[in-house]
Amino acid sequence: MSHHLDSPLARQDPRLDITDLYVFRGETGTVLVLDHSHSAAGEDIPRGPHPEGRYEFKIDTDGDAVEEVAYRFTFAEADTEGVQRYEVRRLDGAEAHDDSAEGTVIARGRTGETVDLPGGGRAWVGKAGDPFWIEPDVLHQVGHAFQDGTKADLSGWDPAKATNAFAGHTVHAIVLELSDAELLPLAGEDRRIGVWALASLATDAGGWRPVNRAGLPMIHPLFAQFDAALGDRLNENTPAEDRALYAERLTRSVASVVRAYGTSDEPEAYAKGFVDRVLPNVLPYEVGTPATYGFARWNGRTLTDNAPDVMFSLAANTPLGLGIDKDSVTSEPRTTFPYVPPAP
């Protein structure tokens, strides 16, 4: 539940609910993966990309949490076989954060097929297995802890009986692999970029409403699992506004949990350090390096990184494990493009 069904607005139409964002080294370049349309949302709802929505990968190249380039996917209605045609547009500079900008069409394709992009990149869109795992009892107790300022009450939980709530479930994935020749000149000498994903819906007035934004994993389950209003608000602004809008509130929440555990003599200072790490909510990555999302370093995120254990434990300043790992996933990620697990 990195982002699965993370806000009331996203739950209204899971096609626009981003479940996870991944950034890692692929066969030929940097891979960006946006998963959405989780099957856990129910059976009698639409699936796949929303024909009135758009899905964007936003890339910050200078560390100011403002995108310098964006890659935008838009989709047509599904045909009788369920296949959807789509366009990929690239937007640079000021256009990258301008909802009304058109950008440049760099590819057109069909779901289920690999599409080659200029400069050696490629794209794929289709149904996939969900590579994420979560233990529901731990998830809910951690959510209560950060909502109420207490320890996570796991007294009645048996790790030996831990289960993956998403085993056997599917998502729809948007996969974009960018070649080094295209991305390295943007990243600059330090090769550092920040990435987030955004799903938006066309409005009757002709504009676009942001529905779901994803950067670092587990932000919503930690802080908004039982706060519906906050869950919606976390999706409405840009990353550059995150600190001003949420730092004080998130710091109080973390400090209260750390104080309850007694793991720091200065819980407010610890909380500030953690919140400084997670805001702005952007996933950092050094182009050309192996990705890892661990306790010591956040550098992209692979399809098998244990994000829940990392984020729960760091936020609480005490070990909080799920009792399960990547072996609980029904369908394993592929080692070759498009990398996401086959749909079970």
Side-chain angles (χ1 to χ4, degrees):
M1 194 166 180
S2 180
H3 297 276
H4 300 61
L5 306 176
D6 63 19
S7 68
L9 186 58
R11 287 194 290 271
Q12 290 178 21
D13 194 330
R15 290 177 294 179
L16 295 166
D17 174 35
I18 301 172
T19 63
D20 283 287
L21 171 69
Y22 302 94
V23 180
F24 55 90
R25 184 70 183 169
E27 296 172 294
T28 62
T30 298
V31 181
L32 314 178
V33 178
L34 180 167
D35 287 343
H36 64 100
S37 291
H38 197 268
S39 61
E43 296 298 327
D44 299 325
I45 58 171
R47 287 288 193 279
H50 198 306
E52 296 181 8
R54 65 186 185 192
Y55 305 79
E56 297 175 282
F57 293 108
K58 305 276 199 174
I59 302 177
D60 167 31
T61 62
D62 60 10
D64 64 356
V66 176
E67 62 271 41
E68 278 73 45
V69 62
Y71 293 87
R72 178 183 296 163
F73 288 71
T74 55
F75 295 84
E77 294 277 1
D79 63 20
T80 56
E81 297 179 348
V83 174
Q84 290 178 258
R85 295 186 178 274
Y86 65 89
E87 284 187 344
V88 187
R89 293 175 179 263
R90 174 171 162 162
L91 301 95
D92 292 279
E95 283 197 337
H97 46 269
D98 182 352
D99 280 346
S100 63
E102 294 293 330
T104 302
V105 176
I106 60 173
R108 291 184 173 91
R110 290 159 46 94
T111 53
E113 300 175 359
T114 298
V115 177
D116 292 328
L117 305 179
R122 49 189 171 176
W124 181 90
V125 179
K127 190 176 183 180
D130 190 350
F132 186 69
W133 64 92
I134 197 69
E135 213 295 325
D137 291 333
V138 176
L139 169 70
H140 294 147
Q141 290 305 321
V142 168
H144 279 299
F146 283 87
Q147 179 71 17
D148 303 332
T150 62
K151 295 180 180 180
D153 183 7
L154 299 174
S155 57
W157 176 66
D158 182 358
K161 298 180 180 179
T163 60
N164 176 10
F166 294 153
H169 278 288
T170 61
V171 291
H172 285 255
I174 298 174
V175 182
L176 176 67
E177 186 163 12
L178 300 173
S179 68
D180 290 343
E182 180 170 1
L183 197 51
L184 279 173
L186 299 171
E189 292 184 2
D190 64 359
R191 301 191 298 180
R192 301 293 298 175
I193 60 173
V195 183
W196 65 98
L198 181 67
S200 305
L201 182 66
T203 68
D204 293 338
W208 293 89
R209 181 181 186 182
V211 175
N212 218 211
R213 173 164 66 95
L216 297 169
M218 310 310 298
I219 300 298
H220 285 80
L222 277 169
F223 301 111
Q225 196 178 149
F226 298 105
D227 188 337
L230 178 62
D232 273 344
R233 287 201 303 275
L234 288 170
N235 293 300
E236 293 173 348
N237 60 280
T238 66
E241 300 168 312
D242 280 346
R243 282 200 174 104
L245 293 173
Y246 307 118
E248 183 178 348
R249 178 168 184 165
L250 269 54
T251 299
R252 288 199 306 269
S253 177
V254 172
S256 63
V257 173
V258 172
R259 188 179 299 108
Y261 277 106
T263 52
S264 173
D265 290 336
E266 299 289 344
E268 287 79 10
Y270 180 88
K272 184 180 183 303
F274 177 79
V275 172
D276 283 347
R277 223 178 146 182
V278 301
L279 296 181
N281 185 8
V282 173
L283 184 61
Y285 179 64
E286 182 179 344
V287 176
T289 66
T292 181
Y293 198 87
F295 290 98
R297 188 184 185 211
W298 298 344
N299 184 50
R301 180 187 174 196
T302 74
L303 294 164
T304 56
D305 279 328
N306 192 346
D309 278 23
V310 169
M311 293 296 277
F312 291 169
S313 299
L314 284 175
N317 198 30
T318 198
L320 288 174
L322 299 181
I324 54 175
D325 57 23
K326 61 185 177 65
D327 292 333
S328 65
V329 173
T330 304
S331 184
E332 295 183 0
R334 290 173 272 206
T335 58
T336 58
F337 191 86
Y339 309 110
V340 292

